[in-house]
Amino acid sequence: MKNLIGTSALLGLLHGAAAQLQSGIYTHYPDCVNGPDLLTSNLVCDPSASPADRAAAIINAMNITEKLANLLDVANGTERLGLPPYEWWSEALHGVAGSPGVNFTYEGDYSYATSFPMPILFSAAFNDELVLDIATVISTEARAYSNAARGGLDYFTPNINPFKDPRWGRGSETPGEDPTRIQGYVKSLLIGLEDTDNGAFNSSGSGFKKMIATCKHFAGYDLEDWEGNIRYGFDAFITTQDLAEYYLPPFQTCARDQNVGSIMCSYNAVNGVPACADSYLQETILREHWGWTKDNNYITSDCNAIWDIFANHNYTTSSAAAEGISLVNGCDNACIVANTYVTDVNGSYYGGFVSEDVITTALIRQYEALIIAGYFDPAASNPYRAIGWDQVNTPYAQELARTAATEGMTLLKNDGTLPYKFANGTDCKVALIGMWANASYQMQGGYSGPAPYVHSPLYAAQQLGLDYVYANGPINQSTLTSNYSDAAMSAAESADVILYFGGIDISVESEAMDRYQIAWPQSQLDLISQLASLGKPTIVLELGSMLDATPLLDNKNISALVWAGYPGQDGGPAAFDILTGAVAPAGRLPVTMYPADYVNQVPMTNMSLRSGPGNPGRTYKWYDDAVLPFAYGLHYTEFKASFSGGAASGYHHGNGNGWGHGNGWGSVGAHGQYNIQSLLSGCTEAHPDLCAFRSVAISVHNTGDVTSDYAAVLFSNTTAGPAPYPLKSLASYTRIHSVAPGQTAHASLNMTLGVLARRDENGNQILYPGEYNLLLDVPTQTTMSFRLTGQAAVLDQWPQPPANQTYSAAEDCPLYGPCAALGQPVE
């Protein structure tokens, strides 16, 4: 059985109509001053008490009927206790978005929010200071909505599942394919969203979280609907090695390192157990191994995922049993899509599938999060409560949205035509052609709310005063028809330069919709070829997710190719910033560009990273036949990057990987030797994988004639440890700004021991002695080697799954064990 409405994306895409789909429950704060005596006399209203004690006090004051009424995302509150209803489902992936907890007006105040580019694009900037700035604006605007009773205090963001398969319909929601890149991204994002850093409160000094973020989707989720496999019932067979090495590190950063308020369990199962019913994932790994209990942090289900445990996974015999087993195994809140299926909360308790103690614990976790966000405290004591409409879509936010788009846009080909000096008036006529040239809401991508404006490339051309002609183009048709080709060719023939804005959009890829092809649509390739044959400068801008651009890269008549993703509310002007050279491109691909035939070489259902039968390998770490590799990106100038000797003091310290503190060790030296035990003995980190290694000092010389940013990327590889060996792994990165012609900029790339370590077949993270290589830039400009000596050291002893939840890629099938007692009442 398939869900009638897949998720909040389907709501978010309705933009202005979103308010009509809402539950009608918005954030009204409890009144601890003038509320009923049962509230004002309760410890929950005492700001001097601990959040845990305050949450326990209000939940223990409820009877079982009241408790059951608050286990869903649509929490009914408790009128007797002065506890108002609360909607736990609000969205803010790249701006406050349409969702049951967010109520946009139709015009005027609170009718829109800043719409930043999709994460896949601003992640391509390799600039985590930018990520932090974006998150800070999003949380400010989210607070404005909650203060006006038009949004929640918690938001279902970010999506941090690694984007390993190019067909995945939700890849644009993520930062890309590399877990180290995602870890740096999500660390900075969470600091901006929650205004805390590993539980320490930042800018406000108030002791309140700015908002409650929700890292999703835990875990192994990257399939929507492919060849009859739907996410609601998909069972992802993942080895312990791949789980610990690839799928879970971003969540480790969320839970262990940043103490995020909430995590969302996913629709799929992992090795036979639905994620929301999986005690190994939710209790053993999250809460026990990662210690994610500091604030009684809570887990919410993806929406209708509890129903899916019964209806699509067939894991229990009833909806009541599904709710019961999810609560018992660590999931605290069941999100449901209104008017679809019923999560039988009452049946879970009265049928004997869950005890009141478990229900009480789940509710205490949720309400402690609200307390830390200031839900029960006087507005005057919380500086976030003063945020209002005047801080939504400010001039700074507008500028940041445009900057985020330009910093991520990535130059993939250029014969020298770019930057193009467009002349105003009649001296230069520009043809703007393609389905993206006059795009509107498509510029935003998925999980979007109404934007204050959406500026298309056509709008940008008008604002620049260009003499232009416009023609639409096909989207995903296999055959080019004359209604497109005639108009496009007529426009191109009358122009001096041709700008083609194409690719795919959310009608081709989205939540609940994977792709079967990663080639450019044939109709667009045919049209571009015809346009390029005119012999005029022809510049292609690819929007949407990555496609195999081989035909465009090989066509000598195509002057330049720029990837622009989903660029947000100011995407058109941002594109022209790149085209004109007002901003020099310095983005890097956050994913591998695979050849079109890759989709015929491995099924989406194969979750293995390493190559094997029916799998050529996944991501740049294990696949070596890319059209363009991960972190590829050209510039309008030339950079010479090299390792530089000497201490790191006085250098620009890169903090892109999330570990920007100075490590005190100085800089790595070529052919240096470093003893593993000495490195560990000098470390004061609670987790050895976060122990600092020596930083890497680099010099970047601009040998060209254009001022440009430069995103430095450093990789490592080794043959230490067990085979097979990854080709290379991202070790550090940072973005250096505005390097002038002739200037040499310096940076210090910080590394941890964790980025050098490897995972064995049991998931243990081990730092092995042996030879290591450092590779700078893509393509590699220079290398350096060093040696680790001493004894191999385990940095992270991975908890082993139950015997009936193991999977080996060498076996034909997973090692399932019987699910005894499923659907049976508990004591």
Side-chain angles (χ1 to χ4, degrees):
M1 184 181 296
K2 186 171 182 178
N3 287 346
L4 296 178
I5 300 178
T7 85
S8 52
L10 302 183
L11 298 177
L13 291 175
L14 295 177
H15 300 289
Q20 298 178 5
L21 299 176
Q22 321 260 320
S23 64
I25 295 177
Y26 309 114
T27 304
H28 296 274
Y29 292 84
D31 188 347
C32 278
V33 176
N34 300 309
D37 290 343
L38 288 175
L39 176 65
T40 59
S41 63
N42 191 284
L43 188 66
V44 75
C45 287
D46 181 359
S48 67
S50 71
D53 289 344
R54 296 173 70 185
I58 190 65
I59 300 305
N60 286 325
M62 295 181 183
N63 59 43
I64 186 59
T65 301
E66 292 166 335
K67 290 176 181 177
L68 292 171
N70 286 280
L71 283 173
L72 302 177
D73 68 290
V74 182
N76 290 333
T78 305
E79 185 176 1
R80 177 179 66 89
L81 299 176
L83 191 63
Y86 182 81
E87 171 58 77
W88 290 90
W89 180 0
S90 295
E91 299 282 358
L93 177 68
H94 55 120
V96 178
S99 46
V102 176
N103 178 23
F104 293 106
T105 62
Y106 288 100
E107 59 183 0
D109 293 359
Y110 298 100
S111 62
Y112 54 79
T114 305
S115 187
F116 290 97
M118 287 289 277
I120 195 68
L121 181 60
F122 66 79
S123 171
F126 283 79
N127 179 5
D128 286 343
E129 293 178 359
L130 174 69
V131 174
L132 173 61
D133 291 343
I134 291 169
T136 301
V137 170
I138 291 173
S139 60
T140 296
E141 297 191 1
R143 263 292 178 167
Y145 272 80
S146 68
N147 290 339
R150 292 189 170 276
L153 289 171
D154 75 291
Y155 286 79
F156 290 177
T157 188
N159 182 342
I160 54 168
N161 298 110
F163 186 10
K164 79 170 191 306
D165 194 298
R167 293 163 287 192
W168 186 29
R170 300 185 71 176
S172 63
E173 298 176 25
T174 77
E177 72 179 39
D178 182 77
T180 298
R181 173 70 190 102
I182 301 173
Q183 287 181 284
Y185 168 100
V186 76
K187 176 181 173 69
S188 294
L189 192 86
L190 291 178
I191 293 172
L193 292 178
E194 297 194 331
D195 202 16
T196 66
D197 189 353
N198 193 19
F201 297 95
N202 288 336
S203 63
S204 74
S206 62
F208 297 112
K209 279 194 174 184
K210 194 175 181 184
M211 62 176 271
I212 304 162
T214 301
C215 291
K216 61 184 185 182
H217 312 78
F218 191 71
Y221 171 63
D222 62 0
L223 178 146
E224 303 298 307
D225 186 346
W226 183 84
E227 294 286 4
N229 298 279
I230 59 170
R231 59 185 177 159
Y232 311 114
F234 176 59
D235 193 354
F237 301 147
I238 305 174
T239 67
T240 302
Q241 184 177 44
D242 281 345
L243 193 68
E245 174 185 272
Y246 186 75
Y247 292 98
L248 294 191
F251 292 96
Q252 175 180 282
T253 299
C254 285
R256 189 195 72 177
D257 302 336
Q258 291 306 119
N259 192 40
V260 69
S262 171
I263 284 177
M264 176 185 286
C265 57
S266 56
Y267 288 118
N268 58 283
V270 176
N271 299 334
V273 182
C276 294
D278 193 338
S279 63
Y280 173 63
L281 287 176
Q282 298 180 127
E283 294 293 339
T284 304
I285 295 176
L286 261 181
R287 292 191 167 110
E288 295 172 13
H289 184 60
W290 289 340
W292 189 60
T293 57
K294 184 180 296 184
D295 296 322
N296 275 323
N297 314 66
Y298 69 92
I299 299 172
T300 181
S301 78
D302 207 338
C303 300
N304 283 5
I306 305 304
W307 168 266
D308 291 327
I309 293 171
F310 154 64
N312 286 303
H313 290 288
N314 299 310
Y315 194 73
T316 63
T317 57
S318 67
S319 173
E323 170 67 355
I325 198 172
S326 68
L327 283 165
V328 169
N329 289 339
C331 181
D332 306 299
N333 183 287
C335 180
I336 60 172
V337 179
N339 303 316
T340 55
Y341 302 113
V342 175
T343 296
D344 192 356
V345 172
N346 288 341
S348 70
Y349 173 72
Y350 292 111
F353 297 105
V354 65
S355 67
E356 184 174 0
D357 285 346
V358 170
I359 291 170
T360 298
T361 297
L363 290 171
I364 289 173
R365 287 170 177 162
Q366 295 170 69
Y367 278 84
E368 183 168 340
L370 290 178
I371 288 166
I372 294 172
Y375 188 53
F376 290 91
D377 292 317
S381 69
N382 186 345
Y384 302 134
R385 291 287 296 275
I387 296 173
W389 175 248
D390 62 336
Q391 295 189 54
V392 176
N393 195 48
T394 62
Y396 167 76
Q398 294 175 19
E399 180 182 0
L400 184 63
R402 185 163 172 171
T403 296
T406 57
E407 284 206 6
M409 290 183 182
T410 305
L411 183 65
L412 305 179
K413 176 182 179 179
N414 188 20
D415 65 3
T417 299
L418 293 181
Y420 196 86
K421 301 305 179 186
F422 297 93
N424 294 333
T426 59
D427 293 335
C428 176
K429 191 168 188 179
V430 182
L432 280 76
I433 299 171
M435 43 84 79
W436 277 96
N438 195 28
S440 55
Y441 68 89
Q442 296 94 332
M443 306 285 287
Q444 297 176 261
Y447 278 87
S448 302
Y453 50 78
V454 180
H455 290 158
S456 68
L458 191 64
Y459 169 90
Q462 293 168 345
Q463 295 303 300
L464 290 171
L466 301 183
D467 182 16
Y468 71 90
V469 58
Y470 160 72
N472 198 0
I475 300 176
N476 199 34
Q477 296 89 334
S478 57
T479 303
L480 178 62
T481 55
S482 59
N483 61 314
Y484 288 120
S485 61
D486 290 352
M489 290 301 289
S490 175
E493 287 167 352
S494 69
D496 299 293
V497 59
I498 302 166
L499 304 180
Y500 184 87
F501 296 86
I504 57 175
D505 63 11
I506 54 178
S507 69
V508 178
E509 57 166 356
S510 68
E511 184 163 4
M513 181 167 55
D514 293 318
R515 291 185 280 153
Y516 287 86
Q517 305 297 328
I518 58 173
W520 270 74
Q522 190 58 49
S523 57
Q524 293 196 47
L525 287 178
D526 291 344
L527 180 55
I528 294 170
S529 180
Q530 290 181 23
L531 296 170
S533 69
L534 296 176
K536 300 178 180 183
T538 302
I539 301 161
V540 177
L541 285 92
E542 176 190 348
L543 290 98
S545 289
M546 201 59 55
L547 301 169
D548 177 5
T550 299
L552 307 181
L553 296 170
D554 290 348
N555 188 335
K556 291 182 171 51
N557 291 325
I558 295 175
S559 310
L561 174 64
V562 178
W563 175 69
Y566 291 93
Q569 66 184 38
D570 231 359
F576 269 91
D577 285 342
I578 296 294
L579 294 174
T580 61
V583 176
R588 292 184 180 271
L589 293 182
V591 293
T592 298
M593 182 187 288
Y594 293 92
D597 189 57
Y598 185 81
V599 300
N600 300 316
Q601 299 175 30
V602 57
M604 281 194 75
T605 51
N606 188 321
M607 305 295 287
S608 296
L609 275 296
R610 291 155 177 81
S611 61
N615 184 352
R618 292 185 177 277
T619 80
Y620 74 94
K621 293 187 177 188
W622 302 101
Y623 180 77
D624 197 22
D625 196 22
V627 176
L628 293 175
F630 170 83
Y632 180 87
L634 302 175
H635 304 86
Y636 287 161
T637 188
E638 296 293 331
F639 285 107
K640 176 62 177 177
S642 60
F643 296 113
S644 54
S649 60
Y651 281 61
H652 169 79
H653 283 268
N655 62 354
N657 59 9
W659 304 285
H661 54 273
N663 56 32
W665 287 100
S667 184
V668 174
H671 308 297
Q673 295 193 33
Y674 309 97
N675 181 268
I676 292 172
Q677 280 64 47
S678 295
L679 291 170
L680 289 169
S681 67
C683 175
T684 59
E685 294 283 351
H687 306 288
D689 59 290
L690 296 180
C691 293
F693 185 57
R694 289 180 177 250
S695 61
V696 178
I698 65 169
S699 299
V700 179
H701 182 60
N702 185 342
T703 64
D705 56 6
V706 175
T707 297
S708 175
D709 287 2
Y710 175 83
V713 286
L714 181 71
F715 297 85
S716 68
N717 67 18
T718 184
T719 55
Y725 310 105
L727 299 166
K728 62 180 180 179
S729 299
L730 185 65
S732 188
Y733 59 87
T734 194
R735 189 173 179 114
I736 305 169
H737 294 281
S738 301
V739 185
Q743 179 186 359
T744 298
H746 303 282
S748 183
L749 297 172
N750 296 322
M751 292 190 293
T752 62
L753 298 185
V755 300
L756 299 175
R758 299 184 57 209
R759 295 276 180 176
D760 67 11
E761 289 187 355
N762 292 321
N764 300 314
Q765 188 179 39
I766 302 174
L767 187 61
Y768 293 99
E771 193 82 8
Y772 289 75
N773 302 303
L774 298 177
L775 303 84
L776 183 61
D777 209 343
V778 175
T780 301
Q781 291 202 42
T782 186
T783 63
M784 179 170 61
S785 63
F786 63 90
R787 177 171 288 276
L788 294 181
T789 62
Q791 299 298 311
V794 177
L795 304 185
D796 181 27
Q797 187 81 36
W798 192 253
Q800 295 305 291
N804 65 338
Q805 287 180 241
T806 60
Y807 171 69
S808 169
E811 297 171 354
D812 293 331
C813 61
L815 301 176
Y816 287 121
C819 294
L822 288 182
Q824 300 301 312
V826 299
E827 297 298 329

